[in-house]
């Protein structure tokens, strides 16, 4: 049995491991633990820095787009019907606090057994007229916390009206911005992870591969739609809270929700907890419909342009951008009515809720009921009634001083036969409020992508 002799000039040499090993450390292909920990720490720091940067950029983007979101939401949920088919509300009157004494209680007991007095028809007529006068267009009876109907005007005009409202101001342009940021961050983190898990379960291609390079796109589109649907339904309470925070008045004396967490607790308490919020028909069906059609439109747009129109961004960026703008406009025509109805249903709150704009006094019973009522009551651009103008003119003409010969006519006036005209306010105008604002956003995206494609083309030529 041979013994291994140690060379005095290379005492730390270990034969069979590596050719030039002069250290006491073993020479193998593994990385030392200290160096591996350092690399993991550097990777963790890089990932944390990227996440913080992404969150900060997302917060800045939501802050920049918040005024336009607030303006669009208020335009979509406000109730501005035609005056002939308007559903009027009951005026809000403060009930005085009454203090009862013992003598007043005895008088009330005596009056209880008395014969009821005859009610005057004039008093009933006066009360009915006061109820009918409460309209969204009534300047005198409008609450102080409520804005006038925003019927016409550009984006800047609407934002200017919001800032000039005494109970709103410039801070109202950022209502619900933090909830929007939290919603976008959670959706960005959760949805791709769920889509990747579904692709791994069903053995599909990686989700990083574009759909254009796949032979069969149906399985991948199915996982995309399912991921959008699940995460959209999971985060739907945040969308409800965002809409209600935007719609409610900014006045501290009128607001119902004092913040996102308070709104979440109040909503779960008043509307039956998780089951009541998630499974109620006013939230479930519009949420499923919205989060199903949205990914279908976004996924099918590049496929239609490339496989049906045979237009590619590398060959003709301007034509590709124009086709993308046309398809996004068609998608906007489909999604805007769904978004409008969904926000109106989200704005229906149990209890006292004072909104910044006028809401419909009678709540909608569901998605299709809201669709029918909006088309019936708010379908036209013209909101004023011709009959009411004639009534005002007749009242002004009847205010002339009476003469002696007209005494009999005053006692027994001849009622003119009214011309009955069937009110017609049918249309789709109420479903497309804020269409111009979102169309301009699509046009800006088209211009940006076109200029970017042209610059890339010039750089390739040069």
């Amino acid at each position: 049995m041979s013994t291994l002799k140690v060379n005095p000039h290379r005492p730390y040499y270990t034969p069979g491991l590596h050719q030039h090993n002069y250290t006491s450390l073993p020479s193998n292909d593994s990385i030392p633990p200290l160096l591996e920990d350092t690399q993991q720490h550097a990777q963790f720091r890089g990932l944390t820095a990227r996440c913080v940067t992404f969150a900060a950029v997302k917060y800045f983007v939501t802050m920049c787009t918040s005024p336009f979101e607030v303006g669009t939401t208020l335009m979509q949920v406000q109730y501005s019907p035609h005056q002939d088919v308007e559903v009027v509300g009951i005026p809000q009157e403060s009930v005085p606090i009454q203090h009862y004494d013992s003598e007043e209680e005895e008088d009330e007991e005596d009056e209880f057994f008395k014969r009821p007095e005859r009610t005057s028809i004039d008093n009933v007529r006066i009360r009915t007229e006061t109820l009918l006068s409460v309209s969204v267009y009534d300047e005198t009876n409008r609450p102080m916390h409520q804005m006038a109907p925003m019927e016409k005007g550009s984006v800047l005009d609407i934002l200017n009206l919001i800032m000039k409202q005494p109970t709103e101001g410039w801070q109202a342009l950022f209502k619900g911005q933090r909830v929007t940021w939290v919603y976008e961050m959670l959706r960005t983190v959760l949805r791709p992870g769920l889509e990747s898990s579904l692709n791994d379960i069903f053995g599909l291609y990686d989700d990083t591969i574009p759909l254009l390079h796949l032979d069969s796109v149906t399985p991948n589109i199915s996982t995309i739609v399912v991921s959008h649907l699940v995460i959209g339904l999971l985060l739907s309470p945040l969308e409800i809270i965002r809409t209600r925070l935007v719609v409610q008045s900014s006045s501290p004396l009128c607001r119902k929700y004092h913040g996102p967490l308070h709104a979440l607790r109040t909503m779960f308490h008043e509307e039956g907890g998780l089951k009541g919020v998630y499974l109620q028909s006013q939230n479930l069906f519009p949420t499923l419909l919205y989060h199903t059609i949205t990914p279908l439109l976004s996924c099918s747009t590049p496929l239609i342009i490339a496989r049906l129109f045979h237009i590619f961004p590398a060959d003709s960026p301007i034509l590709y951008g124009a086709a993308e703008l046309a398809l996004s406009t068609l998608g906007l025509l489909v999604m805007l009515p769904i978004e409008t109805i969904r926000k109106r249903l989200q704005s229906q709150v149990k209890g006292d809720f004072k909104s910044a704009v006028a809401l419909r006094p009678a709540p909608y019973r569901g998605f299709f009921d809201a669709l029918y009522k909006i088309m019936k009551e708010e379908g036209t651009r013209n909101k004023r009634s011709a009959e009411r103008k004639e009534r005002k003119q007749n009242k002004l003409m009847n205010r002339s001083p009476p003469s002696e010969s007209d005494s009999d006519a005053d006692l027994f006036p001849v009622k003119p036969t009214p011309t009955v005209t069937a009110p017609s306010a049918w249309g789709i105008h109420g479903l497309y409020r804020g269409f111009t604002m979102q169309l301009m956003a699509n046009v800006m995206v088209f211009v940006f992508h076109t200029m970017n494609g042209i610059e890339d083309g010039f750089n390739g030529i040069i």
Side-chain angles (χ1 to χ4, degrees), residues 162-177:
I162 297 174
M163 289 189 293
K164 286 184 178 180
Q165 178 69 13
T167 56
E168 297 298 320
W170 64 270
Q171 295 181 352
L173 301 177
F174 301 95
K175 293 191 294 185
Q177 184 261 334

Side-chain angles (χ1 to χ4, degrees), residues 453-462:
I454 292 175
E455 289 180 359
D456 293 340
F458 281 134
N459 291 332
I461 294 174
I462 297 174

Side-chain angles (χ1 to χ4, degrees), residues 84-156:
D84 291 336
V85 291
E86 180 182 3
V87 178
V88 295
I90 301 176
Q92 299 177 358
E93 296 180 357
S94 60
V95 180
I97 301 175
Q98 299 180 358
H99 302 280
Y100 296 96
D101 299 333
S102 60
E103 297 179 356
E104 294 179 356
E105 293 178 357
E106 293 178 359
D107 296 337
E108 289 179 359
E109 292 178 358
D110 297 336
E111 292 178 355
F112 178 77
F113 298 98
K114 289 183 179 180
R115 186 176 180 179
E117 297 180 358
R118 185 176 180 180
T119 306
S120 176
I121 299 177
D122 296 332
N123 294 334
V124 176
R125 186 180 295 114
I126 291 172
R127 283 195 218 105
T128 307
E129 290 177 357
T130 55
L131 285 178
L132 292 178
S133 64
V134 178
S135 170
V136 295
Y137 305 106
D138 192 355
E139 299 287 343
T140 58
N141 294 323
R142 182 179 297 121
M144 293 296 296
H145 60 82
Q146 196 173 101
M147 298 172 56
M150 298 178 290
E151 301 178 14
K152 298 179 181 180
S154 61
V155 179
L156 297 179

Side-chain angles (χ1 to χ4, degrees), residues 214-269:
L214 299 178
D215 297 332
S216 178
V217 297
T218 304
N220 292 80
I221 290 180
S222 300
T223 57
I224 293 174
V225 172
V226 170
S227 63
H228 275 86
L229 194 60
V230 173
I231 300 302
L233 184 61
L234 180 65
L235 301 179
S236 59
L238 293 180
E239 295 181 288
I240 299 175
I241 292 172
R242 176 180 58 186
T243 303
R244 294 181 179 181
L245 289 177
V246 171
V247 174
Q248 76 168 356
S249 175
S250 299
S251 175
L253 302 176
C254 300
R255 66 179 61 172
K256 180 182 179 69
Y257 306 115
H258 303 290
L261 296 178
H262 179 260
L264 191 64
R265 291 195 303 265
T266 306
M267 183 177 63
F268 285 150
H269 176 70

Side-chain angles (χ1 to χ4, degrees), residues 142-315:
R142 182 179 297 121
M144 293 296 296
H145 60 82
Q146 196 173 101
M147 298 172 56
M150 298 178 290
E151 301 178 14
K152 298 179 181 180
S154 61
V155 179
L156 297 179
D157 294 336
I158 294 170
L159 299 181
N160 192 20
L161 289 175
I162 297 174
M163 289 189 293
K164 286 184 178 180
Q165 178 69 13
T167 56
E168 297 298 320
W170 64 270
Q171 295 181 352
L173 301 177
F174 301 95
K175 293 191 294 185
Q177 184 261 334
R178 289 179 296 173
V179 181
T180 305
W181 176 70
V182 173
Y183 173 80
E184 293 293 336
M185 290 297 298
L186 291 176
R187 190 172 67 91
T188 305
V189 172
L190 296 177
R191 197 207 62 77
L194 179 60
E195 181 185 350
S196 178
S197 300
L198 291 175
N199 290 336
D200 294 339
I201 291 173
F202 294 102
L204 301 177
Y205 289 100
D206 190 6
D207 52 355
T208 57
I209 301 176
L211 296 176
L212 293 174
H213 302 288
L214 299 178
D215 297 332
S216 178
V217 297
T218 304
N220 292 80
I221 290 180
S222 300
T223 57
I224 293 174
V225 172
V226 170
S227 63
H228 275 86
L229 194 60
V230 173
I231 300 302
L233 184 61
L234 180 65
L235 301 179
S236 59
L238 293 180
E239 295 181 288
I240 299 175
I241 292 172
R242 176 180 58 186
T243 303
R244 294 181 179 181
L245 289 177
V246 171
V247 174
Q248 76 168 356
S249 175
S250 299
S251 175
L253 302 176
C254 300
R255 66 179 61 172
K256 180 182 179 69
Y257 306 115
H258 303 290
L261 296 178
H262 179 260
L264 191 64
R265 291 195 303 265
T266 306
M267 183 177 63
F268 285 150
H269 176 70
E270 294 180 351
E271 301 181 15
L274 292 173
K275 183 179 180 181
V277 172
Y278 279 106
L279 300 181
Q280 61 178 343
S281 59
Q282 296 182 358
N283 178 44
L284 181 62
F285 179 74
T287 301
L288 296 178
L289 186 63
Y290 180 83
H291 290 288
T292 301
I293 300 179
T294 301
L296 283 177
L297 293 176
S298 61
C299 294
S300 60
T301 297
L303 293 175
I304 292 174
I305 296 175
R307 297 188 178 183
L308 186 62
F309 299 150
H310 302 286
I311 302 174
F312 298 94
D315 300 333

